Amino acid sequence: MDEHLKNLFSRFQEQFGSGPGLGPGSGTCLTKIHNISPNFIKSLYKAAASLYRSDPWRRLRPRHLLGVKVGKDFDWYGRKQPFPCIQFVGGDGGDVAIHMFRSEDDAKRMTSPRETVRAPNVELLRVTYEIESQMFRSHKKMIQSLSLEVSGEDRYPVVDVARCSSSSSGEVRFRSPTIEELRYVYGVLRGVCLLHPLLEQDFGSGRRYDRVALFKPFIETVDVQWGVEMAKGNDLVAVTVSYPPNRGYEGMIGSGGSTPVEYPEPGKEEI
């Protein structure tokens, strides 16, 4: 009986999520995006699979916010980076996903030690790794028809953009990402896959019995090659990853120790 309940609870967690995250995918499907090509989708899934296999969730937790920059600001709509702050959720349970935020402030508003806070009017892009058997039929059909690369353990990425309602109901609405947003996601996936292993743990900071690792200040840049269907003039794009976010190269001079960030408890953040 105990084993039966354990299996039932595990299936419930997989289907509905627990801990950090916003739950399973929304049903948005990449094939429904206007003018997207099969090769574009294949490249995106290949990049997502490479990141999954690099296992950033082994060390990174939601409180570890990373800054990302893909190319120049003027390369993107509005002359600014679409989602310059990211976090990994699922290392301690819940949705196995990457959350990409419009700003570091948005990320802090939605981050608490145990849950993802549904902060009003915050929009984030999610890459959620779901088990194929629990995906929507449209996703399964796309995976089979395009022979998309599996990320591991029968998981495939689902990409959507979530926006938390301004009301007190906590409702979350979803939409499909644009092609430009997906280009940005591709750059992030490729760059972070190469750079997150270089994060160096700082054993001299933090509390003695703190379960969450702290890392030394970090910033590195790597050149990522666009897929043929994604390139716009240049084959390569520079991707920069920093910890904590918004850290510049000049900030590395003479710095020492990590800079842990305190996050507000749910219900205490300023709106």
Side-chain angles (χ1 to χ4, degrees), residues 184-204:
Y184 188 84
V185 170
Y186 177 87
V188 171
L189 296 177
R190 284 297 192 193
V192 173
C193 177
L194 295 171
L195 294 178
H196 82 81
L198 302 181
L199 279 166
E200 185 178 352
Q201 189 168 344
D202 190 346
F203 295 98

Side-chain angles (χ1 to χ4, degrees), residues 88-106:
F88 291 88
V89 301
D92 285 329
D95 305 331
V96 179
I98 311 162
H99 289 175
M100 305 185 186
F101 297 92
R102 298 286 188 187
S103 69
E104 183 181 358
D105 286 341
D106 284 351

Side-chain angles (χ1 to χ4, degrees), residues 139-184:
H139 287 112
K140 295 179 182 179
K141 183 178 180 181
M142 177 181 68
I143 290 168
Q144 294 171 1
S145 63
L146 298 181
S147 299
L148 297 176
E149 185 170 340
V150 64
S151 292
E153 302 175 5
D154 198 30
R155 289 183 183 267
Y156 291 89
V158 175
V159 187
D160 57 26
V161 179
R163 184 177 182 84
C164 300
S165 171
S166 58
S167 66
S168 59
S169 64
E171 179 186 4
V172 180
R173 296 185 177 182
F174 298 92
R175 67 169 175 84
S176 297
T178 66
I179 288 185
E180 277 298 282
E181 288 170 339
L182 291 176
R183 286 183 73 245
Y184 188 84

Side-chain angles (χ1 to χ4, degrees), residues 40 60 63 82 113 165-166 177 188 205 211 217 221 224 239 264:
F40 190 113
L60 296 172
R63 67 179 288 183
S165 171
S166 58
V188 171
S205 298
R211 294 178 57 193
T221 300
V224 168
V239 178

Side-chain angles (χ1 to χ4, degrees), residues 74-92:
F74 57 73
D75 293 334
W76 306 101
Y77 178 79
R79 302 179 69 84
K80 62 181 180 180
Q81 301 283 313
F83 298 95
C85 184
I86 69 170
Q87 69 179 176
F88 291 88
V89 301
D92 285 329

